[in-house]
Amino acid sequence: MRLLTHNMLSCNIKGVTNGFPLRIEVEKSMEKEVDFNIDFLKSIFSKVEWTALVEAARSLGYNDLPEEVVDSSTMLESSDFLKKFHHALLELHLEEGALICPETGRRFPVNKGIPNMLLHEDEV
Amino acid sequence: MWYLCVFLHRLLDYRRAEVEALAELFGAFDDHQLQRPLQWKLPENHHPDSPFHFVNLPSEELARNIANRTKRAKVKMRSILSGVFDGSSLFLRRFGRSGVCLLVKGIYELWGEGDNYEELEKAVTSYPEERKLPYLTTETTFRIVVDSFGKIINFEEQNERIQSLKFVPFKGRVNLKNPEQKFWLMETDNYGSNNGLPPVVQKRIFFGREVGAADRKLLPTYQLKSRKYLGPTAMDAEVAFLMANQALATKGKLVYDPFVGTGSILVAAAHFGAMTMGADIDIRVVRDGRGPDCNVWSNFKQASHHFLDFSSLLALDVCFRIALPFIGCDGFYSSPICFLRSIEYGLPMPISLLRADNNLPPWRQGLKEIFDAIICDPPYGVRAGGRKSGGRKLLKGVIDPYTVPDDKRTGHIPSTAPYSLAECVHDLLELAARMLVMNGRLVFFYPVLREDGTTNINFPKHPCFTMVARCEQILSFRYSRYLITMVKTGPYTDDIAELAMKMHLEFKENHLKWLEDGNLHSAVFSPASSVNGASGDSNFNRDCETKGANGKEKEFHSISDVIRS
């Protein structure tokens, strides 16, 4: 699971209002190379929850992202920033672990890189 | 300018739509707001099923881009060279390009046409000189190809035909192998009887200059039988590529398939360079597959040395021998073939696969407009039924909600209930309305029962979407499926969500009869007598007469195949 996916997911148990961001529990993580595409990064940037991405990257041991993006238009011109953003968003990969709902503590397991977001009978 | 567009004689209803999608992809229409279709014409007395169509395209470059690669060889060589020296498993990726047209055989600048050779001569002679002469100079090399539809022209006759073209002032040298210009002489015959098919063509002769010719080499590479991991409903490679074309999948775009299964559709999108995401409710399919080298991920790898033709292999061999001392991986890569075997498709892996329920998607609040395209083949209950969370009894209220004890939660597989097509399509449209960027595309299959008659179909509607193409593929005389392409033309607001829900309920009411779980399946598979009653036979005959030609599923690679069969 890449952090782009993590940034999109929340706990969707019935009645949960603060299901985002899911906390990452790491058993095994790795890096997977992805083609660098500036246009994609620029268009996706505005849709990313930045704090959640920074937190998630930190939990996978990557601390190079700036805490806050103040001036996004100049930041997006900097290739250094784009490279870090690219790496954090698309190349960090959680292979084994879990995503934990901040409200209920429900664990969504991640096996073989695939998060299991399906709910149990009593959560629908 | 009008060009002659010659199609392959298959998937007839998909052909114009594909050209239109590619025209959009290659930037024929600047203002995306207006979904202008291209202008089309048919030769006189030709049925729409004819392979010959005229299309109005703004430039020759666009025509070449659509029909695809005339300068392919050079690009290939360069990528092989850089690929070998990179020593990277990613190099085959460079072969991939966005938008390969699958149903166009070639696009031609028509110099003249006629019912017979006298008429043709007249037409070609009166075609403006300034359009002809630049391609007929002494410096150019050329070749004349004689082709036919619905008949065979043997070698001597072909030569006669070529000799009869004396009225064209060819000055260049003939080069059969690698000509700069190709001229095509194409003939059709009028059909007396034609096996009950609609009258396809009237005898016509076309002469023109090739602007672009298609190459279907990619299909054998991706055909399903060479896939490692297959499911019962894996999407046929050709159709998957057509879907990816309709979705305008290309580099830098994010494509999502909510019913990913074994990933066939995403493989096509990834070939065109798109980033892919997929979800499925079945954990066994997305996570486990049939072992470590037989799962969705492995469908994106696969050895693919047959991607290269012989000359490229030879070139690669030479490069390889030169490069070997520098790469320094002696022994292991002892020949280019071994080297290539070690190389994978080089398709970028999906950015993410997840297990999720389309009925209860796990997307965070406020997330919207993130996908450029959503492509899918929703489960509509004929070969595989859809499932959603919550047990059947639970949803019906037969049993009370229960809680799985904590000690049994690990590995517990939650029960699911059947997911009716109407609900599934509604969820899909809602998902697409919310998650697609403006002008993003939703491409999906939609089943239609044919006993209702094919004229009055209620296609699903959504206030955010405009339907730009619907292509019918007839599956049996009972039902067919339409490939629907919708473009997001309106923003998604709360009001619209409410309105869409209302429209959905109305739609559901009108189609309750067969959209509900199981009914489509039984309508398709039950014995004729119970479905159609006494009218079963007459229905069958009607279908054969009117739609038989579209339903033909046989693959015709070239016009001569049609004749042989």
Side-chain angles (χ1 to χ4, degrees), chain A residues 29-122:
Chain A
S29 69
M30 52 175 74
E31 285 175 16
K32 290 191 173 179
E33 203 188 320
V34 172
D35 273 0
F36 186 71
N37 187 314
I38 289 183
D39 295 331
F40 174 76
L41 291 174
K42 283 182 177 170
S43 73
I44 204 83
F45 177 79
S46 62
K47 291 150 197 168
V48 168
E49 276 285 331
W50 189 258
T51 356
L53 180 67
V54 176
E55 278 298 314
R58 198 169 290 151
S59 59
L60 291 183
Y62 184 73
N63 298 316
D64 291 358
L65 284 182
E67 202 70 42
E68 262 177 71
V69 180
V70 198
D71 183 4
S72 60
S73 54
T74 42
M75 287 296 255
L76 287 176
E77 293 308 312
S78 139
S79 68
D80 181 51
F81 171 75
L82 283 175
K83 269 180 196 142
K84 286 177 184 161
F85 178 43
H86 170 80
H87 184 71
L89 191 71
L90 299 172
E91 296 191 323
L92 298 178
H93 181 89
L94 178 68
E95 182 75 4
E96 297 287 335
L99 302 175
I100 294 156
C101 169
E103 193 174 309
T104 59
R106 158 79 145 91
R107 289 177 91 250
F108 294 95
V110 178
N111 301 122
K112 299 181 186 169
I114 295 171
N116 181 352
M117 301 305 292
L118 211 62
L119 301 179
H120 292 305
E121 284 87 342
D122 48 329

Side-chain angles (χ1 to χ4, degrees), chain A residues 2 5 7-10 12 20 35 37 40 47 49 111-112 114-123, chain B residues 93 252 275 286-288 351-353 355 360-364 367 369 371 402-403 409 412 414-415:
Chain A
R2 324 280 169 137
T5 319
N7 211 274
M8 294 165 70
L9 295 177
S10 75
N12 58 341
F20 180 83
D35 273 0
N37 187 314
F40 174 76
K47 291 150 197 168
E49 276 285 331
N111 301 122
K112 299 181 186 169
I114 295 171
N116 181 352
M117 301 305 292
L118 211 62
L119 301 179
H120 292 305
E121 284 87 342
D122 48 329
E123 298 163 339
Chain B
R93 193 181 298 176
M275 296 176 149
V286 285
R287 187 187 62 193
D288 303 335
I351 290 298
S352 121
L353 290 176
R355 183 194 193 193
L360 287 165
W363 311 120
R364 71 171 149 90
L367 182 72
E369 303 199 347
F371 300 126
Y402 54 89
T403 312
R409 277 190 183 251
H412 171 69
S415 49

